[in-house]
Amino acid sequence: RISYKQAIAVGLFQCLALWPGFSRSGSTISGGVILGLNHRAAADFTFIMAMPIMMGASFLSLVKHWDSLSSDLMPFFIVGFICAFVVALFVVRFFLRLINKIKLVPFAIYRIILGVILLLI
């Protein structure tokens, strides 16, 4: 169970992703954990919260490029959508299982080391 206060605060952590180098899912999962959620609840909420954002972005892209779409291209878009959806389901399920086993510490260490290396380069 996530309170409205926690949900709003996690949403504010999502704003960190506006800066280059910040992962949207990483910032919201970390924000959820900081706010007292367990890793699984924070990850579940992050992926649930991503759905309206991704659907809105897809809709805006579709509207923006509507003129360049033709009926002969629709089968490609439909197959692409279905493939992307199925692969995303598997990846999310894999990630949620992984996060239950190893938490976020290895990912955080990797990101810090990579950031230092990139700063030095």
Side-chain angles (χ1 to χ4, degrees):
R1 302 210 26 112
I2 298 173
S3 70
Y4 287 115
K5 185 178 178 181
Q6 287 174 316
I8 291 169
V10 170
L12 292 174
F13 270 96
Q14 184 172 246
C15 294
L16 293 173
L18 293 171
W19 282 288
F22 274 88
S23 161
R24 188 205 59 78
S25 59
S27 62
T28 54
I29 293 171
S30 299
V33 171
I34 289 169
L35 295 168
L37 301 176
N38 64 42
H39 287 83
R40 178 61 189 239
D44 285 346
F45 184 67
T46 292
F47 289 114
I48 290 169
M49 193 170 51
M51 289 302 200
I53 294 166
M54 291 188 292
M55 287 188 324
S58 296
F59 177 74
L60 287 175
S61 180
L62 183 63
V63 168
K64 182 178 177 182
H65 298 99
W66 188 255
D67 295 338
S68 61
L69 295 176
S70 64
S71 61
D72 59 327
L73 294 176
M74 281 306 174
F76 295 107
F77 283 107
I78 292 169
V79 169
F81 175 82
I82 292 169
C83 288
F85 183 80
V86 170
V87 169
L89 282 178
F90 284 113
V91 169
V92 167
R93 291 185 84 195
F94 171 77
F95 180 72
L96 290 175
R97 275 189 262 137
L98 183 66
I99 210 168
N100 279 333
K101 290 181 183 176
I102 65 169
K103 308 297 182 220
L104 293 174
V105 174
F107 181 69
I109 291 169
Y110 153 76
R111 294 283 301 205
I112 291 168
I113 292 170
L114 181 63
V116 169
I117 291 170
L118 291 174
L119 280 174
L120 293 174
I121 292 175

